[in-house]
Amino acid sequence: MPDFSAVSLHTPRLRLRPLRPEDAPALFGIYSDPAFMRYWSTPPWTSIDQAHAMIERDQRELPAGEHLRLGIVLKDAGALIGTVSLFHLDAGCRRAEIGYGIAPAHWRQGYQREAVSSVIDHAFGALALNRLEADIDPDNRASARALEALGFQREGRLRERWIIDGRPSDSAIYGLLAREWFGVNYSPERRIE
Ligand SMILES: CC(C)(COP(=O)(O)OP(=O)(O)OC[C@H]1O[C@@H](n2cnc3c(N)ncnc32)[C@H](O)[C@@H]1OP(=O)(O)O)[C@@H](O)C(=O)NCCC(=O)NCCS
């Protein structure tokens, strides 16, 4: 996969770009919020050092093209309100997992749909992926609804796939194919050089 450090996507209300050192306070505010982290696969953050570590890791790893994480920034206010990621990229099978989160103060305003739609366009367009998958807590109704609204299909349930704070947790697996996103005329063999 290409160098992801220069990826920048625009939507009517949002700019999606790699995290920067100055995002640390806002990022910590989001990932330390128990409401945001309720269905996440790790416990809420307890130190801003975790924000610095994520940002430093991204700055180090994005050029290798192994995962893509973008901060979701409100164009008007300039505020960081969430993140969206592609990870577990498999270039041979042209698939990746997708993850996302929006700060609770901004829920139900269409930001997930707007941000994730543009990353799906990028994944199936510029990156020529064929399949995206999402692994969510089966109780996370907001995330399930948000995926279904984008056309993802629920494909199955994996039992006790995670142990979070000592407690086993199931996964609901969702999948979306490029031809479903672009329509029936799309050819899965298509590649963009
Ligand atoms: C899941 C999440 C990203 C949704 O973000 P959002 O910006 O509020 O979502 P949107 O406003 O773009 O809505 C997208 C769709 O999901 C639906 N939706 C969002 N929140 C919902 C809720 N709490 N209950 C039911 N449906 C919900 C919306 O109605 C919309 O569907 P529609 O287009 O058919 O009306 C947000 O709740 C979140 O960040 N949660 C915490 C982090 C998380 O759990 N991330 C997923 C981990 S896999």
Side-chain angles (χ1 to χ4, degrees), residues 36 100-102 107-110 112-113 136 140 142-143 145-146:
F36 178 87
Y100 44 79
I102 300 286
W107 283 351
R108 304 304 294 261
Q109 295 172 56
Q112 190 271 1
R113 177 187 274 270
I136 73 166
N140 190 348
S143 191
R145 180 65 212 130

Side-chain angles (χ1 to χ4, degrees), residues 30 45 52 118 138-139 150 188:
I30 296 169
W45 287 357
H52 291 301
S118 87
D139 292 334
L150 289 165

Side-chain angles (χ1 to χ4, degrees), residues 10-74:
H10 291 264
T11 70
R13 295 179 296 170
L14 304 170
R15 179 167 176 224
L16 279 61
R17 48 104 180 127
L19 295 169
R20 300 171 176 163
E22 59 267 30
D23 292 325
L27 193 65
F28 177 60
I30 296 169
Y31 280 76
S32 60
D33 184 333
F36 178 87
M37 297 297 279
R38 180 168 175 199
Y39 298 112
W40 213 256
S41 51
T42 52
W45 287 357
T46 54
S47 163
I48 196 166
D49 290 346
Q50 292 168 280
H52 291 301
M54 178 185 275
I55 294 165
E56 282 164 19
R57 193 170 63 241
D58 281 4
Q59 290 191 325
R60 210 172 44 244
E61 294 179 359
L62 289 187
E66 285 173 11
H67 82 269
L68 171 66
R69 178 171 20 238
L70 299 172
I72 301 171
V73 178
L74 289 179

